[in-house]
Structures are given as structure tokens and as C-alpha cells.
Amino acid sequence: MAEDDLLSQMLNAWRDDIESVPFPQFSELLIPRQQVRPRYSSGASAARVTNATRRTDA
């Protein structure tokens, strides 16, 4: 493939455009603390889960 074809020119122009923008530098990465929901123990752990696909009247 010849160096001077249109696709190569477009690729080189794209590379030049990308390389002309400096990559951002971070001196310190600040990640906000996650919110913790309160744990409720009043019946939450005793919740019964049933299988809705199983017939109980057989």
C-alpha cells in the first residue's frame, strides 16, 4: 500500500491530532467515599423466599 494514498493520509492526520492533545496529569486521585446504607435487622434476614414455579397443591 502506498504511503501517499488517502487512507494513510487520514490516519497520519488523525495520529497527529491525537498526539497534539496532552494527556491529563493527576497529582492525586480523589475518589469519593461510598455511602453505606444502615443495616436493618428487624426481619430482613428472616425473610422467606419461596420458589414460585413449584406447585404446592399436588
Side-chain angles (χ1 to χ4, degrees), residues 48 50-58:
R48 184 171 177 187
T50 60
N51 187 352
T53 59
R54 186 181 300 162
R55 292 184 62 173
T56 58
D57 60 346

Side-chain angles (χ1 to χ4, degrees), residues 1-52:
M1 204 157 100
E3 273 297 315
D4 58 347
D5 67 346
L6 180 61
L7 188 58
S8 293
Q9 290 174 5
M10 290 173 61
L11 178 62
N12 289 331
W14 176 77
R15 284 182 177 162
D16 291 340
D17 184 44
I18 294 298
E19 292 172 357
S20 68
V21 178
F23 192 79
Q25 300 292 322
F26 301 102
S27 60
E28 183 178 349
L29 183 61
L30 300 175
I31 301 174
R33 291 183 58 88
Q34 293 183 343
Q35 295 181 353
V36 178
R37 290 189 276 174
R39 178 178 282 188
Y40 295 108
S41 62
S42 60
S45 62
R48 184 171 177 187
V49 178
T50 60
N51 187 352

